[in-house]
Amino acid sequence: MADRLYRLVVIVISIFTFVVIAYPLYFIIIASFSNSTMVNQGDVIFFPKGINFYGYEKIFVDSRIWQGYLNTIIYTVFGTLLNLVVTIPAAYSLSRREFRARKIIMPLFVFTMYFSGGMIPTYLLFRDLHLLNTPWVMIINGAVSVYNLIITRTFFESSIPDDLHEAALLDGCSHFRYLASVVTPLSKAVISVIALYYAVGHWNDFFNPLLYLNSDHLQPLQIILRNILLSNQAFADGAGSGAGAGAGSYAQQYADQIKFAVIIVSTVPLLVVYPFIQKYFEKGVMIGAVKG
């Protein structure tokens, strides 16, 4: 009886948690093609009303969207590849007990999690490196995350047996060959997890392009969507002050609809990718967190 009650409580809590998390996303989806006036009045709760796709039409007829998508994909793919190329070897080196310098290097990595040079010194550094207003500033910036480095290092320490390394040494295997042929294939779970973390960070990056990119043709999707949203909001405000309350309400209605559509357009690609690596997600994080 106690076990059944426990399972019932767990099921109820799980369902409640799922609804709390999933409903806001579902609401944004139905609000993006519902009448904004009905949304603001609270008439749209579970089903869309006054269906129209003006918000999506306004976004996708803008040629800047496709350039923004292309730029974001380039920054995400190449940035994530660089992150993995830097993080995995660094984590492997710091996981080897015979590497005595790790006792000094690891605290230095952790130090950067809490203290940094700040925004202005970072900007001046990129300027002196001639990286401003180039795609490289979006790819190279943040090449390694200390948080992801710690997860990967801990995974290597707790999940890759030392016996494998000893056997590889007997076969004349170098550290580079051992990392490429043994460690990496056995670490698909944690590599998938940190790849997702890095990719989401690059995809959602908004502040860095705002600081370091000036050319419109280099702007990522997030900045393009922001500009579309601001221009339509400005139009709504102008219509409201210059053409009467009716025109202002009409323009505001579509500005709100564009706002919801912007959220969907920027989120869907990641939602599509996530199910393919979800099976690795829990395993990779939990194994990498067994030891500190």
Side-chain angles (χ1 to χ4, degrees):
M1 183 64 183
D3 291 340
R4 290 183 180 179
L5 181 60
Y6 173 77
R7 284 196 294 268
L8 178 62
V9 171
V10 169
I11 292 173
V12 171
I13 293 176
S14 299
I15 294 175
F16 175 76
T17 304
F18 172 77
V19 171
V20 169
I21 294 174
Y23 178 75
L25 178 60
Y26 172 74
F27 175 79
I28 291 173
I29 293 174
I30 62 176
S32 67
F33 54 85
S34 295
N35 184 289
S36 295
T37 301
M38 295 182 177
V39 173
N40 293 332
Q41 291 176 348
D43 295 332
V44 177
I45 300 177
F46 296 109
F47 302 101
K49 296 182 179 180
I51 295 177
N52 68 80
F53 296 92
Y54 175 84
Y56 293 101
E57 293 173 1
K58 187 67 176 179
I59 291 174
F60 285 112
V61 297
D62 196 323
S63 60
R64 295 176 297 172
I65 281 288
W66 307 111
Q67 183 64 46
Y69 258 118
L70 177 61
N71 291 339
T72 300
I73 291 172
I74 291 173
Y75 300 152
T76 300
V77 171
F78 288 100
T80 302
L81 288 176
L82 177 63
N83 295 142
L84 296 178
V85 168
V86 174
T87 301
I88 294 174
Y92 170 75
S93 300
L94 293 170
S95 70
R96 302 308 307 168
R97 293 180 176 82
E98 63 269 23
F99 181 50
R100 296 181 180 178
R102 70 175 189 160
K103 294 182 180 180
I104 299 175
I105 296 175
M106 196 63 219
L108 294 178
F109 272 113
V110 174
F111 181 84
T112 64
M113 295 179 66
Y114 303 100
F115 303 97
S116 66
M119 182 173 65
I120 294 177
T122 303
Y123 182 90
L124 296 177
L125 174 63
F126 288 140
R127 184 199 64 183
D128 294 341
L129 293 174
H130 305 289
L131 293 177
L132 292 182
N133 205 35
T134 67
W136 295 108
V137 73
M138 298 298 297
I139 296 173
I140 296 176
N141 186 22
V144 62
S145 164
V146 178
Y147 176 78
N148 293 336
L149 177 66
I150 293 174
I151 290 178
T152 311
R153 182 210 63 176
T154 308
F155 182 94
F156 290 159
E157 287 180 341
S158 60
S159 303
I160 308 297
D162 290 335
D163 295 342
L164 288 178
H165 185 242
E166 294 175 3
L169 288 179
L170 292 176
D171 291 337
C173 191
S174 65
H175 281 288
F176 292 103
R177 181 65 181 275
Y178 175 66
L179 174 62
S181 302
V182 179
V183 175
T184 302
L186 294 175
S187 306
K188 291 180 181 179
V190 73
I191 291 175
S192 298
V193 170
I194 65 170
L196 177 65
Y197 285 164
Y198 279 127
V200 169
H202 285 291
W203 186 271
N204 291 331
D205 196 1
F206 172 81
F207 192 63
N208 285 327
L210 202 63
L211 284 178
Y212 306 129
L213 298 179
N214 297 323
S215 301
D216 291 338
H217 70 279
L218 294 176
Q219 297 293 354
L221 179 65
Q222 307 299 335
I223 299 296
I224 300 297
L225 293 176
R226 167 184 175 271
N227 293 339
I228 293 174
L229 183 61
L230 289 178
S231 62
N232 281 275
Q233 188 62 51
F235 170 75
D237 294 340
S241 60
S249 176
Y250 178 80
Q252 183 63 47
Q253 171 185 338
Y254 289 116
D256 290 341
Q257 200 167 30
I258 290 173
K259 177 171 61 178
F260 290 117
V262 161
I263 298 174
I264 300 302
V265 169
S266 61
T267 305
V268 164
L270 292 179
L271 295 179
V272 171
V273 171
Y274 178 77
F276 293 99
I277 61 176
Q278 188 270 339
K279 61 181 179 180
Y280 298 113
F281 195 83
E282 181 179 353
K283 181 180 178 183
V285 172
M286 294 306 295
I287 293 179
V290 170
K291 297 180 181 179

